[in-house]
Amino acid sequence: MTGHPAHHHQEAGGLPVDVLLPAVFVVILAGGYVLLTVRARRRNAQAGWSRWRTGWFLCGCVLLATGLLPPIAPWAHGDFRGHMLQHLLIGMYAPLGLVLGAPVTLLLRNVPAAQGRRLTRLVRSRPVHVLVNPVTALTVSVGTLGLLYFTPLYNAMSASTGLHSLLHMHFLLAGGLFAYVIAGPDPAPTRPDVPVRLVVLGVAIAAHAVISQLMYGGFGINIHVPIDQVQGGAQIMYYGGDVAELLLAVALVATWRPQPSARRAPRPRRRADTNRPAVP
């Protein structure tokens, strides 16, 4: 039994809405970032803004557009293998590029000091602290995959254009959260030490491997598509996920800045007062 989402090919300006809206979203995302980089350089020419960060963010936008637009998007609507490739692009590869672009830091460079302090307080608030906990990020990004593929949820969401769009948004936000927690250069309330983050990444790798192997073997899955598509999608998830997580590990090591140990400076010795009589 094959489940295909119901698509409404309404056109706006000669383009289908399901092509136009994602294209506009990516253009606004990329254009807004570039505009902020220009303003950041004008506000503080000495500090400037890293071209590497700009390149990473724009690379993330390109990967996001690749996943949301033809030819991959139409293929994903009718073939589970396309869906899985789309999942990797939107939920793993694109978020890494977007996060390495440090958009929060760029925003802080552009807002007035008062707004910057409010944004910093928000980043350090208790709800954000809970959200960026590695366990929360791991559950949201990886744990929901079991819910999606081992329950009727995927079949229900793939049959509705609106729900399918929500699924894309979930992939993007969950992938961005996980990349931010593991290797994000932006400020965060607290970040565990690198060994802890590597362990969390290792758990994610193992979870992806287990889910993809169960999917390939047909154990417990609830996906109404031909078996060859399920197995092909499982292979894409297995190998493509490994590459994405390897890149995330490289990003973690590359962006790691060891904190210098806080050593107390030796207290200067007081010079003896030669005029002071010795104590017997």
Side-chain angles (χ1 to χ4, degrees):
M1 178 178 177
T2 304
H4 299 282
H7 297 288
H8 305 285
H9 296 284
Q10 299 174 354
E11 295 194 357
L15 289 174
V17 173
D18 55 358
V19 173
L20 181 63
L21 292 181
V24 170
F25 171 74
V26 175
V27 168
I28 291 175
L29 191 66
Y33 185 92
V34 171
L35 178 61
L36 289 177
T37 63
V38 172
R39 290 185 58 186
R41 292 191 180 102
R42 288 178 178 174
R43 287 170 64 94
N44 191 336
Q46 185 175 2
W49 184 254
S50 170
R51 288 184 171 83
W52 280 104
R53 287 184 175 180
T54 303
W56 279 118
F57 193 90
L58 294 180
C59 180
C61 289
V62 170
L63 291 169
L64 181 60
T66 303
L68 291 173
L69 299 174
I72 290 180
W75 180 37
H77 294 323
D79 193 307
F80 185 73
R81 292 163 294 192
H83 158 81
M84 193 57 69
L85 178 59
Q86 190 179 49
H87 165 214
L88 290 177
L89 288 170
I90 297 174
M92 299 186 76
Y93 288 96
L96 178 58
L98 297 176
V99 165
L100 291 179
V104 176
T105 302
L106 179 60
L107 185 60
L108 287 170
R109 292 274 189 94
N110 281 272
V111 298
Q115 294 182 11
R117 287 191 292 269
R118 285 196 291 268
L119 180 58
T120 302
R121 285 196 297 268
L122 175 63
V123 170
R124 295 176 178 175
S125 64
R126 184 63 181 174
V128 175
H129 180 86
V130 174
L131 183 64
V132 301
N133 183 283
V135 176
T136 304
L138 183 67
T139 302
V140 171
S141 62
V142 179
T144 53
L145 294 180
L147 182 65
L148 179 63
Y149 298 125
F150 294 90
T151 71
L153 184 61
Y154 171 78
N155 302 313
M157 300 193 78
S158 63
S160 167
T161 302
L163 292 178
H164 206 70
S165 299
L166 288 178
L167 181 61
H168 293 164
M169 186 62 66
H170 167 76
F171 283 154
L172 179 62
L173 295 178
L177 175 64
F178 190 72
Y180 168 72
V181 169
I182 298 297
D186 276 325
T190 55
R191 270 202 177 91
D193 293 334
V194 169
V196 175
R197 284 183 273 164
L198 285 174
V199 168
V200 173
L201 182 57
V203 173
I205 294 171
H208 270 116
V210 169
I211 292 173
S212 59
Q213 289 172 355
L214 290 174
M215 186 182 296
Y216 187 87
F219 297 106
I221 62 167
N222 195 330
I223 305 172
H224 297 169
V225 299
I227 188 62
D228 62 320
Q229 292 186 20
V230 174
Q231 292 181 339
Q235 290 177 318
I236 292 172
M237 181 181 185
Y238 185 86
Y239 294 109
D242 279 354
V243 172
E245 282 151 342
L246 176 61
L247 292 175
L248 187 55
V250 171
L252 169 58
V253 175
T255 57
W256 176 42
R257 297 293 181 267
Q259 297 294 328
S261 57
R263 296 181 179 179
R264 297 180 61 183
R267 298 178 61 182
R269 295 182 178 180
R270 299 179 60 182
R271 298 176 62 180
D273 189 350
T274 56
N275 297 325
R276 188 176 180 181
V279 178

